[in-house]
Amino acid sequence: MLIKRPKDVKPSEITPLGIYRRRREFVATAGVLALGAVSGMGTKPAIAQDGAKLKGFGKSKFSTTEKANAIKDVSGYVNYYEFGTDKTDPPQYAKKLKTQPWTVVVEGAVKKPRTFGIEELMKMQMEERIYRLRCVEAWSMVIPWIGFEFNKLANLVEPTGNAKFVEFHTALQPDNMPGVRLPVLDWPYIEGLRIDEAMNPLTILSMGMYDEVLPNQNGAPVRLVVPWKYGFKSGKSIVKIRFVEKQPRTAWEKANPQEYGFYSNVNPDVDHPRWSQKTEKRLPAFFANHKTQLFNGYSEQVASLYTGMDLRKNY
Ligand code: MTE
């Protein structure tokens, strides 16, 4: 993003996940989560006893049929700037992220503000969504997430007519996040969506991937996934969700408004000021091997959200 350009990335930077897995910690965290998940489910999840597994969720009709990446691509090559700006920093340092206990405050222009414990979120009907993720840096992956539609949570708190946008505040744990010692971004990392974007069925809150609870570096214990937008719109480790009237000022927009707009829809016809967005490399490829598609290939579901808007101005 701000610091690395796609051409600077060497395959050697893609670090095998095995090195970074913290099995014991992982299991300890997941134990509580999985217990919660077993009880409230409408479908019958087969969750392994060790708690780290989140298996048996039905596959959503919104899943792509493209081949998913290997988990090592997804967990070994990561943007999570609170843990450093290098792709291999978060797998190394996100061990320290404290994910227990965890709550998500939902407030603002809603009739029923509420604080959700992570266990409660895990009980909400979940499914597997295999989505393409296209990063603004012109690489992409295909990732099987486990989660539920954001609109389910929104409907529980009942947004009022003043809720025009949704702000997502992510965790700030200065003692555990070496990256926030540097003013790379205005911490905490805040992202935002227009309310109709947030309520679109493609927008999910995810708590797992590849049949397991989310690794810390991928945004444990709960993150957003918005597959038609550049990856940075998908905030990790969410602690607060605010329904607001005014368009939020997001972390990347504050840092560099010329390069990172509020909308950030994947668009091959709108170049990043420093590089083209026409193609992408599907990791672990070294060179571009895919044509980038408008809205990352999700036009059928989301193009109507932008009817009449100039996508060059609203980049
Ligand atoms: N969320 C937080 N809190 N901090 C970050 O630095 N990076 C974003 C996004 N969410 C980021 C974040 C960027 S740039 C991308 S591409 C995606 O997370 C990457 O998600 P993944 O590493 O799980 O694929």
Side-chain angles (χ1 to χ4, degrees):
M1 307 255 317
L2 201 59
I3 302 201
K4 281 225 154 179
R5 300 181 57 172
K7 67 180 179 162
D8 298 329
V9 177
K10 302 178 201 74
S12 58
E13 289 180 50
I14 303 170
T15 312
L17 176 69
I19 299 171
Y20 300 117
R21 276 273 168 69
R22 298 144 291 115
R23 194 72 196 167
R24 284 216 196 108
E25 238 181 73
F26 205 53
V27 170
T29 306
V32 182
L33 303 183
L35 279 176
V38 176
S39 45
M41 295 295 302
T43 53
K44 195 171 155 284
I47 297 176
Q49 291 306 304
D50 73 0
K53 296 283 175 195
L54 293 174
K55 278 197 170 162
F57 293 103
K59 192 184 286 183
S60 157
K61 62 176 179 189
F62 293 115
S63 289
T64 171
T65 51
E66 281 170 89
K67 189 171 176 288
N69 272 82
I71 186 169
K72 70 175 166 48
D73 298 335
V74 183
S75 287
Y77 185 85
V78 176
N79 276 331
Y80 196 161
Y81 276 24
E82 289 86 332
F83 295 100
T85 54
D86 212 90
K87 299 286 185 287
T88 54
D89 288 337
Q92 210 171 343
Y93 301 119
K95 293 175 186 61
K96 286 192 74 184
L97 178 73
K98 192 169 177 285
T99 58
Q100 284 277 329
W102 195 277
T103 54
V104 180
V105 175
V106 187
E107 59 179 28
V110 293
K111 288 194 193 122
K112 297 181 175 167
R114 263 175 74 175
T115 298
F116 292 82
I118 191 68
E119 299 79 9
E120 199 178 345
L121 295 179
M122 293 293 293
K123 285 183 199 167
M124 290 172 71
Q125 180 84 44
M126 299 210 282
E127 61 183 7
E128 184 184 68
R129 290 269 172 117
I130 308 178
Y131 278 159
R132 287 180 286 277
L133 180 137
R134 168 61 156 83
C135 183
V136 72
E137 296 160 303
W139 50 265
S140 65
M141 302 195 203
V142 174
I143 306 172
W145 303 106
I146 299 166
F148 61 84
E149 290 176 16
F150 174 79
N151 59 44
K152 287 196 165 74
L153 180 128
N155 291 335
L156 289 176
V157 297
E158 299 181 21
T160 68
N162 290 336
K164 306 275 195 303
F165 295 90
V166 188
E167 237 172 54
F168 297 89
H169 296 233
T170 75
L172 180 57
Q173 299 179 3
D175 291 343
N176 303 332
M177 296 174 155
V180 305
R181 287 180 210 136
L182 298 173
V184 178
L185 293 172
D186 184 10
W187 316 108
Y189 192 105
I190 292 178
E191 256 311 333
L193 296 173
R194 218 170 57 190
I195 184 90
D196 54 346
E197 297 177 320
M199 298 301 270
N200 187 280
L202 288 188
T203 303
I204 61 168
L205 288 173
S206 169
M207 276 140 281
M209 59 182 221
Y210 296 90
D211 296 340
E212 297 183 358
V213 297
L214 281 181
N216 287 359
Q217 63 266 35
N218 292 100
V222 54
R223 67 171 287 165
L224 191 67
V225 184
V226 193
W228 73 96
K229 292 181 179 279
Y230 291 119
F232 69 89
K233 298 296 288 182
S234 296
K236 294 178 170 181
S237 309
I238 292 170
V239 291
K240 188 162 46 172
I241 297 172
R242 283 185 61 77
F243 289 79
V244 294
E245 191 157 12
K246 292 209 172 85
Q247 182 172 308
R249 287 204 66 216
T250 65
W252 278 105
E253 219 189 337
K254 278 194 223 169
N256 196 340
Q258 308 306 320
E259 300 196 355
Y260 308 109
F262 176 80
Y263 283 95
S264 287
N265 292 316
V266 175
N267 191 339
D269 299 325
V270 178
D271 286 343
H272 184 280
R274 288 186 277 144
W275 59 80
S276 160
Q277 295 289 22
K278 290 210 179 316
T279 59
E280 66 205 54
K281 58 174 181 176
R282 178 72 45 87
L283 293 177
F286 189 46
F287 295 110
N289 56 1
H290 276 69
K291 279 193 176 155
T292 291
Q293 302 176 68
L294 181 61
F295 301 121
N296 203 18
Y298 297 98
S299 289
E300 199 184 316
Q301 290 86 8
V302 301
S304 62
L305 297 175
Y306 308 102
T307 309
M309 272 177 76
D310 181 344
L311 297 178
R312 287 186 180 278
K313 280 197 189 130
N314 296 288
Y315 57 88

